[in-house]
Amino acid sequence: MRFRTVKGTHDILPEEALRWRHVEEEIRRILELSGFAEIRTPILEQLELIARGVGQTTDIVTKEMFALERGEDRLVLRPEMTAPVMRAYLQHGLYTQGAVMKLYYIGPMFRAERPQRGRLRQFHQYGAEILGSSDPLADAEAIALQMGILEHFGLRQLRLRINSLGDATCRPRYREALQAYFRPLAERLSPSSRERLEKNPLRILDSKDPQDQELLAGAPRITDFLTEACREHFEQVKTYLEELGIPYEEDPFLVRGLDYYMHTAFEITSPLLGAQDALGGGGRYDGLAEELGGRPTPGVGFAGGLERLLIALETAGYRFPEPARPDLYIAALGPEARRWAFVHANRWRRRFSLQVEYDLAGRSLRSQLREADRIRARFVLILGEEELSRGRAPLKALDSGEQTLLSLDALPDTLIARIRRAESERSPTPSS
Ligand code: HAM
């Protein structure tokens, strides 16, 4: 077959999809418990929104966009959700619904990065945004929420790094100081950092190049350039984290790859991952709404990668729930019995919500029984033409091997009663 998944994308096959569903459902539950409501925005956005929102000089915008043209429109497959969520908030005037809006999302994002383990071109994020609050409590809430999600799955040894990127007053001053420090050293910088020196010098702080890192050791730190108000904001965020007992490390060189951040930026990494070790990150983006031409709206949020979370959970030996077991497998032989199976499987699914399966391929009784075993059906009904004409057939419980001859008319009632009994034996309700 000549067709394969596109580079950097992957299929989520049924067994894996169950794990995805479990993780997504848990994340939804935790976020909804904290009062976040789901938002779903289109995968296609205007290129201009992303370029302005994420930043013209970021890697995401200059190198990694899946862009397409359609007539006059210049579109992209969204690389992230913060700019689209802010667009939706402004477009629909969601600010009229209350002072603070808490929104979450789960879905696919697209970045044309060089694929490797934990780094894809179509990947999935869960994330949350708190819009309308400039209070440092909201920053702490976002960080605590993301830590809480990861800890809920039993992940330990998480490393939370935080930094303050200042605001429109401190950032330009820091930028200049950084340029003044690096300009005389430009020759020794890696080519990509040299390129960033004039356009986006803060990104040099993010360089993984060993030579750059050496030079970084003596570089000025943003924390020394914060205004009193910015410093106070950062101090409060840290105090709130301490109140919840969330350990963090201050990293004055943490900048993150998106330009909209102001004040708090953070990232959470795990030793369970390889080179791509960020499970998630986020921060505050108070200037974004105005950058998009909207009314001033402070915001803070985070996003985490679902692929990376799943890799970490698998590495940690997380126990995912087992797939649901079919209640009944009807092993039917002969045209009449097969027709009966078809009719009754459909009827009982609809009427009693029983998960009933039967063979769709006309296989032998032996392979039908093997199939019932493989899918771990609770019960198998063995039905030939003779059983059908007598109106009685053997029902076998696959766990115990116990077999009883049952009237076909009474089957759903008997089955439901036995399933209920088995369930209550498995999880006995405490008697009062
Ligand atoms: P980000 O750090 O670019 O932030 O992405 C968040 C997370 O998405 C990363 O930590 C990582 O787990 C996952 N991720 C990113 N790129 C890839 C990829 N190519 N393959 C697999 N996983 C990936 C944002 O996107 C911001 N919108 C977060 C935010 C929300 N800030 C404020 N609010």
Side-chain angles (χ1 to χ4, degrees):
M1 217 272 289
R2 0 190 313 246
F3 297 108
R4 320 269 312 165
T5 42
V6 169
K7 180 175 170 188
T9 69
H10 65 172
D11 295 316
I12 300 171
L13 299 178
E15 205 176 310
E16 220 185 327
L18 283 175
R19 298 178 165 213
W20 278 75
R21 281 243 311 262
H22 168 71
V23 167
E24 287 167 1
E25 278 162 17
E26 292 296 292
I27 291 173
R28 282 174 191 284
R29 201 173 51 73
I30 296 169
L31 288 168
E32 285 172 13
L33 204 57
S34 298
F36 285 76
E38 183 177 10
I39 183 164
R40 300 188 188 199
T41 64
I43 282 167
L44 280 176
E45 289 283 356
Q46 278 180 299
L47 185 141
E48 189 63 16
L49 167 77
I50 302 300
R52 272 175 175 267
V54 173
Q56 302 280 2
T57 60
T58 57
D59 284 356
I60 294 182
V61 169
T62 55
K63 301 185 197 153
E64 298 168 0
M65 288 211 288
F66 279 102
L68 44 136
E69 273 176 39
R70 181 94 204 155
E72 301 280 276
D73 295 330
R74 296 176 72 212
L75 310 172
V76 284
L77 305 184
R78 65 184 188 199
E80 63 102 51
M81 276 293 275
T82 309
V85 167
M86 184 60 96
R87 176 201 48 70
Y89 175 85
L90 296 168
Q91 179 179 339
H92 303 287
L94 297 184
Y95 39 83
T96 57
Q97 296 182 12
V100 178
M101 189 96 216
K102 297 190 284 183
L103 301 168
Y104 82 87
Y105 47 85
I106 299 182
M109 311 294 152
F110 304 82
R111 295 182 193 175
E113 297 190 80
R114 206 156 38 78
Q116 64 181 83
R117 185 169 161 80
R119 188 164 72 191
L120 289 123
R121 292 186 160 186
Q122 175 174 343
F123 61 99
H124 299 76
Q125 280 185 348
Y126 63 92
E129 313 292 348
I130 304 173
L131 302 174
S133 167
S134 50
D135 195 310
L137 199 56
D139 307 44
E141 176 84 9
I143 298 173
L145 199 54
Q146 177 154 42
M147 286 297 280
I149 288 173
L150 298 171
E151 281 168 357
H152 167 81
F153 290 105
L155 291 175
R156 300 288 175 259
Q157 289 182 285
L158 297 169
R159 185 168 170 222
L160 165 65
R161 287 177 303 135
I162 61 172
N163 192 17
S164 171
L165 299 175
D167 64 8
T169 312
C170 14
R171 188 96 60 98
R173 294 208 313 243
Y174 178 59
R175 200 185 135 101
E176 272 170 33
L178 214 51
Q179 284 172 328
Y181 170 80
F182 277 119
R183 274 195 195 116
L185 304 170
E187 300 282 88
R188 290 160 63 192
L189 281 172
S190 67
S192 62
S193 290
R194 209 174 306 140
E195 210 185 294
R196 285 166 172 161
L197 182 53
E198 297 308 323
K199 285 195 218 137
N200 197 348
L202 264 75
R203 298 282 304 142
I204 300 176
L205 306 181
D206 223 14
S207 169
K208 304 273 182 297
D209 181 277
Q211 171 91 359
D212 288 353
Q213 294 222 330
E214 225 169 89
L215 298 176
L216 266 174
R221 292 162 181 236
I222 180 118
T223 25
D224 294 327
F225 290 78
L226 296 181
T227 61
E228 196 45 44
C230 287
R231 194 188 311 278
E232 179 57 24
H233 185 100
F234 193 35
E235 286 309 314
Q236 286 196 34
V237 174
K238 289 186 280 182
T239 309
Y240 287 132
L241 292 178
E242 283 153 26
E243 301 251 2
L244 280 190
I246 298 176
Y248 61 83
E249 291 167 38
E250 276 181 69
D251 179 351
F253 293 148
L254 176 76
V255 279
R256 307 204 8 86
L258 305 115
D259 276 355
Y260 46 60
Y261 291 118
M262 249 189 210
H263 295 289
T264 317
F266 65 94
E267 203 153 274
I268 303 169
T269 54
S270 162
L272 296 171
L273 297 174
Q276 300 304 318
D277 63 353
L279 277 172
R284 177 167 281 287
Y285 44 87
D286 292 351
L288 175 60
E290 283 159 282
E291 188 62 45
L292 303 182
R295 54 187 267 147
T297 306
V300 58
F302 68 85
L306 279 168
E307 283 82 0
R308 292 189 194 174
L309 176 56
L310 280 149
I311 292 175
L313 294 184
E314 276 152 27
T315 312
Y318 180 82
R319 284 181 60 133
F320 289 93
E322 296 286 328
R325 296 180 66 176
D327 298 307
L328 177 68
Y329 188 94
I330 308 177
L333 261 193
E336 282 307 313
R338 291 188 70 210
R339 194 170 312 135
W340 190 95
F342 163 64
V343 170
H344 287 81
N346 277 284
R347 186 176 298 162
W348 293 343
R349 286 169 188 157
R350 211 170 312 158
R351 215 175 274 171
F352 307 111
S353 292
L354 287 173
Q355 187 182 335
V356 185
E357 305 222 14
Y358 65 98
D359 174 54
L360 289 174
R363 284 177 292 185
S364 70
L365 185 61
R366 238 175 87 156
S367 32
Q368 290 187 48
L369 294 177
R370 210 176 304 129
E371 176 67 4
D373 260 333
R374 193 186 67 81
I375 61 176
R376 302 168 55 250
R378 292 176 202 278
F379 295 94
V380 189
L381 183 72
I382 301 161
L383 194 70
E385 306 286 310
E386 203 180 309
E387 285 79 9
L388 199 58
S389 63
R390 289 198 192 139
R392 291 162 79 82
L395 181 77
K396 187 173 171 186
L398 279 192
D399 288 342
S400 63
E402 186 191 328
Q403 192 163 313
T404 30
L405 199 60
L406 279 184
S407 136
L408 292 177
D409 292 337
L411 192 80
D413 288 343
T414 317
L415 202 61
I416 291 168
R418 286 181 66 176
I419 291 166
R420 294 236 173 89
R421 183 149 30 95
E423 269 164 10
S424 68
E425 277 163 15
R426 222 173 313 120
S427 54
T429 40
S431 51
S432 47

